[in-house]
Amino acid sequence: MGSLRAILKHPDDLYPMVKLKLAVRNAEKQIPPEPHWGFCYTMLHKVSRSFALVIQQLDTDLRDAVCIFYLVLRALDTVEDDTSISAEVKVPILKAFHRHIYDREWHFACGTKDYKVLMDEFHHVSTAFLELGSGYQEAIEDITMRMGAGMAKFICKEVETVDDYDEYCHYVAGLVGLGLSKLFHASGKEDLASDSLSNSMGLFLQKTNIIRDYLEDINEIPKSRMFWPRQIWSKYVNKLEDLKYEENSVKAVQCLNDMVTNALMHVEDCIKYMSALGDPAIFRFCAIPQVMAIGTLALCYNNIQVFRGVVKMRRGLTAKVIDRTKSMADVYGAFYDFSRMLKSKVEDSDPNARKTKDRLEAILKICRESGTLNQRKSYIIQSKPQNHATLVSTHHTLSYILAVFSSPPSVLSLLNMCFNAIKS
């Protein structure tokens, strides 16, 4: 019922949701016939459906390289994330992972659910990796080696300072940005972006995830995962886990806002990076997650629910972002809207209010100076649950579905597809 209420409140979500549902189905039908590639793309859909959808737009050779790059790093991350593995076992695996990707026989039992399957049958990923061009292989090996070493370093080291936080995020996400820039360059479709801009692309996404996932990480069993830097949280509480207790709600929100303000420092670099991209498919691949990140930060800011449950963008808004993000004008518009949303939540009593507003105003200024804001469809203006709006939105949705099918389905199947889009 919650999803249905969301649709009635935002009827214009329905069209992009059904459109996204159809795109996902179409992507799932494009699984390669070779067993190892079939495993890789099937696994990609299971561990990240949204990522799997976006990479389907890339040309075949680059798409294969990015798919394998993602799965290799996801496997590396699965080893790091498994808190049941002792440091004595984990550290050597992380440091040697860049060599394991050349071994068609290597696998390691860890992780849960789909991640366990990925690790148990990692030989499929290695087989596919060995079929990539040498330029792609070298980029993936280099980043895997550096990331594994960085992860190993932080197995035995806590995130104490903001510099530690930036270093950790560099190892687990900034290097992903560097690696993707190398893959884009190796494909011949893009110039090689600077390391600093590539790093910021990764850090912005990673810091957003760390902020959003506080409760999941702190409640991890058998051992908490703690990535918020002590230099920030110690200003508000004595222990990081204290933020989740109701009696510390005011301090928790102030700490959260401090963390969001820290993440905003990377936005200008991200916009510079995206504005330099020339290939439309690569642009969308990079831009959609960045827009999702600024939207997520806007929701998380000043929101005590970060410490009570899951805070994320509603499915319909996510579908809108994927549907609308096609050009830099769309990116400027989205960052402008979500930054305004975030700024409206800043209270003068917050200890970091001035710094937060300054960073947001810098972002808003860049967006205004782009001269493209009049081209955007706002993400902030809320749709009213009026019958007319609902009927118009549903009419567009059904018209779209009729257009993409070679033979029109029955009215019943159309309504069923709409209902499934709402439900899932």
Side-chain angles (χ1 to χ4, degrees), residues 212-213 215-216 305-306 308-312:
R212 182 199 61 198
D213 295 341
L215 193 63
E216 178 185 338
Q305 288 305 311
V306 170
R308 305 287 182 265
V310 179
V311 175
K312 60 181 181 180

Side-chain angles (χ1 to χ4, degrees), residues 17 34 61 79 81 115 128 136 141 207 285 291 370 379 391:
M17 283 179 70
E34 300 87 351
D61 64 329
V79 175
D81 282 350
Y115 300 100
Y136 292 138
E141 179 188 4
K207 288 184 176 183
F285 171 81
V291 172
S370 71
Y379 287 99
L391 288 171

Side-chain angles (χ1 to χ4, degrees), residues 334-349:
F335 270 82
Y336 184 79
D337 284 343
F338 287 126
S339 295
R340 279 178 59 214
M341 185 188 300
L342 202 162
K343 189 178 179 182
S344 72
K345 298 167 71 176
V346 179
E347 298 175 354
D348 290 337
S349 59

Side-chain angles (χ1 to χ4, degrees), residues 53-111:
L53 177 66
V54 176
I55 90 163
Q56 288 293 336
Q57 302 170 87
L58 301 174
D59 287 346
T60 303
D61 64 329
L62 180 57
R63 180 172 68 233
D64 289 346
V66 173
C67 173
I68 299 307
F69 184 49
Y70 182 88
L71 291 178
V72 166
L73 299 188
R74 177 56 67 189
L76 186 64
D77 189 57
T78 300
V79 175
E80 187 216 18
D81 282 350
D82 194 329
T83 54
S84 68
I85 306 172
S86 68
E88 291 76 16
V89 174
K90 185 180 291 189
V91 168
I93 293 174
L94 294 173
K95 289 183 175 179
F97 210 91
H98 64 288
R99 292 195 291 271
H100 295 319
I101 60 179
Y102 286 94
D103 184 354
R104 296 176 191 266
E105 305 299 322
W106 186 85
H107 59 90
F108 181 72
C110 68

Side-chain angles (χ1 to χ4, degrees), residues 17-32:
M17 283 179 70
V18 175
K19 190 175 179 181
L20 178 61
K21 187 91 171 176
L22 290 169
V24 169
R25 287 186 181 180
N26 185 55
E28 289 172 347
K29 291 177 183 176
Q30 297 179 20
I31 303 297

Side-chain angles (χ1 to χ4, degrees), residues 10-301:
H10 309 278
D12 56 328
D13 284 0
L14 184 57
Y15 173 68
M17 283 179 70
V18 175
K19 190 175 179 181
L20 178 61
K21 187 91 171 176
L22 290 169
V24 169
R25 287 186 181 180
N26 185 55
E28 289 172 347
K29 291 177 183 176
Q30 297 179 20
I31 303 297
E34 300 87 351
H36 51 291
W37 283 108
F39 173 85
C40 290
Y41 277 97
T42 299
M43 191 54 55
L44 185 67
H45 283 281
K46 289 182 177 179
V47 299
S48 179
R49 291 181 69 186
S50 57
F51 184 82
L53 177 66
V54 176
I55 90 163
Q56 288 293 336
Q57 302 170 87
L58 301 174
D59 287 346
T60 303
D61 64 329
L62 180 57
R63 180 172 68 233
D64 289 346
V66 173
C67 173
I68 299 307
F69 184 49
Y70 182 88
L71 291 178
V72 166
L73 299 188
R74 177 56 67 189
L76 186 64
D77 189 57
T78 300
V79 175
E80 187 216 18
D81 282 350
D82 194 329
T83 54
S84 68
I85 306 172
S86 68
E88 291 76 16
V89 174
K90 185 180 291 189
V91 168
I93 293 174
L94 294 173
K95 289 183 175 179
F97 210 91
H98 64 288
R99 292 195 291 271
H100 295 319
I101 60 179
Y102 286 94
D103 184 354
R104 296 176 191 266
E105 305 299 322
W106 186 85
H107 59 90
F108 181 72
C110 68
T112 59
K113 300 179 181 177
D114 291 326
Y115 300 100
K116 185 179 187 305
V117 176
L118 172 63
M119 298 306 299
D120 287 343
E121 303 192 40
F122 191 77
H123 60 280
H124 289 303
V125 180
S126 297
T127 300
F129 167 79
L130 291 169
E131 292 182 3
L132 298 176
S134 59
Y136 292 138
Q137 287 184 3
E138 289 166 9
I140 294 172
E141 179 188 4
D142 175 58
I143 297 301
T144 304
M145 178 181 67
R146 293 161 67 182
M147 185 179 291
M151 287 178 168
K153 178 178 179 179
F154 276 89
I155 293 298
C156 308
K157 173 184 171 65
E158 291 191 1
V159 180
E160 296 283 346
T161 67
V162 172
D163 285 344
D164 290 341
Y165 182 45
D166 285 343
E167 184 182 11
Y168 172 77
C169 290
H170 165 72
Y171 287 133
V172 301
L175 285 173
V176 178
L178 269 68
L180 287 171
S181 292
K182 288 175 181 285
L183 295 180
F184 300 155
H185 181 62
S187 74
K189 297 181 182 299
E190 298 287 352
D191 294 332
L192 184 61
S194 73
D195 284 357
S196 62
L197 295 184
S198 301
N199 187 59
S200 286
M201 289 283 284
L203 263 63
F204 186 57
L205 299 183
Q206 182 66 19
K207 288 184 176 183
T208 299
N209 291 341
I210 286 174
I211 291 166
R212 182 199 61 198
D213 295 341
Y214 165 85
L215 193 63
E216 178 185 338
D217 289 337
I218 207 72
N219 289 337
E220 180 75 22
I221 295 173
K223 182 182 177 183
S224 295
R225 294 188 295 161
M226 295 184 281
F227 304 117
W228 290 31
R230 181 186 296 270
Q231 186 179 343
I232 290 180
W233 62 255
S234 63
K235 292 186 287 184
Y236 306 95
V237 288
N238 294 322
K239 294 184 292 185
L240 182 57
E241 57 264 35
D242 290 346
L243 294 172
K244 68 180 180 178
Y245 300 126
E246 193 167 348
E247 60 267 27
N248 297 319
S249 293
V250 173
K251 292 293 185 181
V253 168
Q254 290 176 348
C255 183
L256 167 65
N257 294 346
D258 203 342
M259 290 288 290
V260 172
T261 302
N262 173 274
L264 291 173
M265 69 187 290
H266 304 291
V267 170
E268 293 183 57
D269 277 355
C270 293
I271 290 175
K272 286 180 184 176
Y273 182 100
M274 290 183 283
S275 66
L277 294 171
D279 183 85
I282 291 175
F283 171 80
R284 276 175 51 79
F285 171 81
C286 294
I288 290 170
Q290 298 293 326
V291 172
M292 293 288 292
I294 189 65
T296 300
L297 289 182
L299 290 176
C300 288
Y301 186 86

